[in-house]
Amino acid sequence: SAAALITASSVLAQTNWTFDQSHSNVNFTVTHMIISEVDGNFKSFDGKVVSDGDNFENAKVEFTVDINSINTDNEKRDEHLKSDDFFNAEKFPKMTFVSKSFKKADGKNWKLVGDLTIRDVTKEVTLDVRFNGTIKDPWGNTRAGFKLSGEVNRFDYNLKWDAALETGGLVVGKEVGISANIELIKGK
């Protein structure tokens, strides 16, 4: 039937993209004592994207971050972040994101909407994405580059450790900025 042919052809057009680990990163920033920011990253993460050919409109995006790979250049702080005050890496070792929609806004700007799970809490988030295009590398691979950014309230995910300053602000801010640079390699 015609419907079966259309379904078969759309399945064949699916393209799998994998993260190029050495050219990607997942970072975060949080306010410290109101006056400064602490930056960190996750050293271990992985993901995949399934698109319709080279068209990323409504591509399926999934990624997983290994909480134990958190790095803020301070071992004591990293251990505290892995504890139950924050991520509880022992019980919840992974942070995951699964997309619901990926749409072009204008120019190189896109919106990625999906479910972010931290600890045992899943909430929908919207990330701003800059699509930097695709390119053929010298070895014949097609690569695509994206920069993601957004903000989450850590209290929403039970990362609730808190200490107030005399001025009334928090030692660690509620809002956590997320940014990621992702380079994808197209499956052959």
Side-chain angles (χ1 to χ4, degrees):
S1 75
L5 281 172
I6 290 166
T7 303
S9 68
S10 67
V11 169
L12 293 174
Q14 281 196 338
T15 302
N16 292 300
W17 302 77
T18 55
F19 279 36
D20 179 345
Q21 302 283 337
S22 59
H23 296 106
S24 300
N25 54 56
V26 177
N27 310 294
F28 62 88
T29 303
V30 66
T31 309
H32 183 246
M33 298 198 183
I34 303 172
I35 57 165
S36 68
E37 291 187 339
V38 170
D39 297 319
N41 58 53
F42 293 96
K43 296 285 186 199
S44 178
F45 55 88
D46 203 5
K48 66 176 186 175
V49 175
V50 179
S51 67
D52 185 9
D54 286 357
N55 174 18
F56 286 98
E57 190 82 27
N58 283 319
K60 300 282 176 244
V61 180
E62 290 180 26
F63 61 82
T64 304
V65 171
D66 176 3
I67 297 299
N68 282 298
S69 74
I70 198 165
N71 172 29
T72 63
D73 282 335
N74 181 313
E75 209 172 312
K76 273 184 106 161
R77 180 169 52 217
D78 293 347
E79 288 307 313
H80 190 201
L81 289 168
K82 291 177 202 175
S83 78
D84 195 37
D85 282 348
F86 291 99
F87 288 103
N88 191 344
E90 193 178 332
K91 193 170 178 189
F92 308 108
K94 302 279 184 215
M95 171 170 49
T96 60
F97 177 87
V98 178
S99 69
K100 291 179 170 178
S101 72
F102 190 34
K103 299 206 180 302
K104 185 173 185 171
D106 59 69
K108 294 183 172 190
N109 301 310
W110 293 58
K111 293 283 184 195
L112 177 60
V113 178
D115 286 333
L116 178 64
T117 302
I118 302 173
R119 293 179 67 117
D120 55 348
V121 178
T122 301
K123 289 198 171 294
E124 185 176 283
V125 296
T126 300
L127 299 173
D128 293 316
V129 178
R130 184 172 174 83
F131 175 33
N132 292 318
T134 57
I135 193 168
K136 274 255 197 261
D137 71 17
W139 302 276
N141 299 302
T142 299
R143 293 173 177 268
F146 298 90
K147 182 172 179 63
L148 288 71
S149 59
E151 212 173 56
V152 297
N153 180 339
R154 67 184 176 89
F155 282 36
D156 288 348
Y157 294 93
N158 293 327
L159 308 183
K160 290 192 173 176
W161 182 84
D162 206 356
L165 298 166
E166 286 179 14
T167 56
L170 299 179
V171 170
V172 179
K174 281 187 190 180
E175 299 300 325
V176 179
I178 298 171
S179 69
N181 293 288
I182 305 298
E183 191 169 305
L184 300 176
I185 302 175
K186 185 179 184 177
K188 294 189 174 178

